[in-house]
Amino acid sequence: MLRALLLLVSVVAIAHAELCKPDAQNAFKVRISIKTALGDNAYAWDANEEYLFRAMVAFAMRRYSSKSTTQISNVLLCNVTDRVSFWFVVTDSSKNVTTVPGSEVEAAIRMNRNRINNAFLLSDKTLQFLKITSTLSPPVEPSTPVWIIVFGVVLCLIVAGIVFLIVSGIQKHKKKNKESTERENLEEKVEVTLENGIPCEALDLKAGHINGVFAAEDERFTSL
Amino acid sequence: MEKSRPLWDNPLQFVFACISYAVGLGNVWRFPYLCQMYGGGGFLIPYLIMLIAEGMPLLYLELAVGQRMRQGSIGAWKIISPYLCGVGVASVVVSFFLSMYYNVINAWAFWYLFHSFQDPLPWATCPLNSNRTGYEEECEKTSSTQYFWYRQTLNIAPSLEASGSVQWEQALCLTLAWLVVYLCILRGTASTGKVVYVTASLPYCVLIIYLIRGLTLHGAVNGLVYMFTPKLEQLSNPKTWISAATQIFFSLGLGFGSLIAFASYNEPSNNCQRHAVIVSLINSTTSIFASIVTFSIYGFKATFNYESCINKVILLLLNAFDLEEGSLTADNLNEMKDHLMATYPQEYAQLMPQIKNCSLEAELDTAVQGTGLAFIVYSEAIKNMEVPQLYSVLYFFMLLMLGIGSMLGNTAAILTPLTDSRVIASRFPKEVISGVVCFMNCIIGLIFTMEAGNYWFDIFNDYAATLSLLLIVLVETIAVCYIYGIRRFEKDLYTMIGCKPNWYWKIMWAFVSPLLIISLFIFYLTDYILTGTLQYQAWDATQGQLVTKDYPGYALAVIGLLVASSTMCIPLGALVTFIRKRLKRERVSTVA
């Protein structure tokens, strides 16, 4: 009895070794970078994690093909390195000692990638299935691009400023015209101090006009 | 009865206006490049010598002319000598060309500013390709920041000939930029005077924030040490001195007529000598300050790229040899590489082409100038900082302030002669003249928003102002010193300021500065003649990098037209005045 059991186990082991080896047909390489993803909170990769992995792959296969025939024992892992990387295949228990086609495995993994990543607290980059390309999620885009909103706000402010300045300029101009016509009516009655025909207010007294002819020619005056 | 000329509210507004005009994008994106190329800290020696020999005297000259004549550039030079009205017209033409293309930079700054309000920043990652399995092909070949600049901002054509269509997003930003400029110049000195308080001081606030942030970045010291170590052997290279002279010349914005325009709104007793010294010193100090910030940013970016490169090599080796994570670090990388080479010679030999030699010096050596530095390098550094949105907004707002400050000066150079001339000013109010000028510039500026627009921008940037300005300033200096007479000018300054210029100013005006400008002019001419065909850098989307191409015939014609239209104004102006005087004399003689 015991000998028969041992024989069966060794046969299964040899069969498994034939199915699961690097670059075997329908085998996929997995590369895991726990320390990169989690830093100090990194867990060690041991047999329990391997069991979880096999469980997740079996789960993915069940969900994909929606027939509950895949068991955890159907998922074979081999060549685990320190990196951590390993190869896995999914065997088909209905047809003896064959592997499920790679395309099915790939589609199943793709469908459930998110669940598998989350089980290990990893992401697409840190839990890599080397032949399976991941569908990248596009960045969230709001319905109106943000820049147009900001542009609209700034544009409204600037246009409001321009309109305000133009309107106040026109109003000031009208007031000045009204004032000057009033003053002209006033000037006919009241004497305004004039300087050479120019009213004193209009003269730019602040700036002060220096007559260069007189100021420059100081050499002509004899010194005392 | 003359309407009194509008004045600045106080001398501080005038100084701020000059600083705002002179301190522009060139201080941020050209000076650090020159410093890096021509000897690091040693470049400061020719730079300061040229500042004293060329910068301060010419600046003082223009400010004094403007303040004395109290007219824009056309009127001022007409007073100095009627034959020199062409100089004023040439200044206005060059200012017109400059304002046409310069505001496009402000449009780009607006574009980046508006896009900074997103998380993550749009230039931080590549967009996905159509079936979402990877990134866009063009973005893969180059970096995400370059892709954002060349494809999503400019949508650049592969060559000058393939004009393409106007990009509506850029056209909108350009319109906004012109509206902002119009708002600032609408009321003349009344509005400009208030705006320059902001445009002159805000860039310094941002630069200080960036200095503190930059110096605390990881790897900033690498950049500072590398760039500022003086390489004194570069002092023997004549290009170093020529670049220093050119940089001082163009950085101060001489010859455009803006300084004359600003100074014409001064009170006649304003001490423009003191202001000239202050403005030129502040301009140079800002250049040095900005280059400290830029070099610390360079250092951060180079260190970041170097460490990414090392990490990529480590990952490659880990994956290829299935080693444990963490066994390869930056420190033991070289020893481990030797060990692996010895243990697995065949596999290592297979990997050899993929393993790059990461070098910090090579990263630091990438010298960039111009729009490339401002929009690509800086945005790449910003995306790696913490809270990148804040730094991005601050940075592009600073670029905007610098650009608008310079635009105010440019438009003042165009508008002051127009508002001075009684023919135009009596018929139209100031607001309408400003509006028409802004509108025309905006419409013409739409050329630069086309797909090939950036190539036209480069043409204008390289050729519209360089030769013409040198000629204009040369004629200006010779006119003031020899035609107007340096003694007469001395007396004018004495009446205005109250002290005569001392022998330093007189020697610089009469001999040193004209000689420097003549040598710069000769150098540029020989450089253009010797180069033969002019070439430009075109973006090749298939390779993801710039390639050199020759300008087509019509582009060369446009370049020739740009240079000729401004330089020819000077002799034409003299000729027209000469003919007019002859006709008047003949008319008088026939009448008498």
Side-chain angles (χ1 to χ4, degrees), chain A residues 69-81:
Chain A
T69 51
T70 321
Q71 306 291 327
I72 293 185
S73 48
N74 286 115
V75 184
L76 307 174
L77 261 58
C78 51
N79 281 70
V80 183
T81 64

Side-chain angles (χ1 to χ4, degrees), chain A residues 29 31 33-36 81-83 85 135-138 146-147 150-151 155 158 161-162 165 168-169, chain B residues 111 114-115 117 128 132-134 169 172 176 179-180 182-183 186-187 318-319 322-325 491 495:
Chain A
K29 184 165 181 183
R31 193 184 287 144
S33 317
I34 309 176
K35 286 203 190 118
T36 318
T81 64
D82 283 335
R83 170 64 185 81
S85 67
T135 314
L136 302 165
S137 58
V146 177
W147 78 270
V150 188
F151 170 78
L155 185 69
I158 301 289
I162 291 178
L165 280 183
S168 66
Chain B
W111 169 264
F114 294 153
H115 277 85
F117 292 97
L128 302 174
R132 307 209 303 183
T133 51
E169 300 98 340
L172 279 183
L176 180 66
L179 284 174
V180 171
Y182 182 52
L183 177 68
L186 189 49
R187 287 282 188 79
L318 280 180
N319 289 347
D322 282 324
L323 305 164
E324 194 187 330
E325 266 185 296
K491 289 194 189 109
T495 53

Side-chain angles (χ1 to χ4, degrees), chain A residues 134-198:
Chain A
S134 48
T135 314
L136 302 165
S137 58
V140 178
E141 275 220 25
S143 46
T144 6
V146 177
W147 78 270
I148 290 194
I149 299 176
V150 188
F151 170 78
V153 168
V154 176
L155 185 69
C156 289
L157 286 173
I158 301 289
V159 170
I162 291 178
V163 167
F164 170 71
L165 280 183
I166 291 182
V167 165
S168 66
I170 295 177
Q171 280 183 345
K172 217 190 284 181
H173 195 65
K174 272 197 210 149
K175 218 196 300 183
K176 216 193 295 179
N177 274 346
K178 217 192 321 174
E179 265 182 28
S180 69
T181 49
E182 281 178 11
R183 203 208 292 160
E184 274 173 22
N185 297 336
L186 219 60
E187 262 175 28
E188 289 163 5
K189 305 168 195 166
V190 181
E191 275 249 312
V192 178
T193 38
L194 293 176
E195 171 90 30
N196 274 346
I198 309 168

Side-chain angles (χ1 to χ4, degrees), chain A residues 20 45 50 53-54 75-80 86-89:
Chain A
C20 175
W45 185 262
E50 285 181 24
F53 183 81
R54 292 164 67 201
V75 184
L76 307 174
L77 261 58
C78 51
N79 281 70
V80 183
F86 50 83
W87 290 81
F88 77 94
V89 282

Side-chain angles (χ1 to χ4, degrees), chain B residues 438-456:
Chain B
C438 288
F439 181 71
M440 272 173 45
N441 272 321
C442 189
I443 297 292
I444 301 177
L446 287 177
I447 298 176
F448 303 109
T449 58
M450 292 196 304
E451 286 179 25
N454 196 40
Y455 302 130
W456 290 108

Side-chain angles (χ1 to χ4, degrees), chain B residues 120 142 175 191 195 222 248 282 395 451:
Chain B
T142 167
T175 317
S191 54
V195 171
N222 295 340
I248 289 277
I282 289 185
Y395 172 68
E451 286 179 25

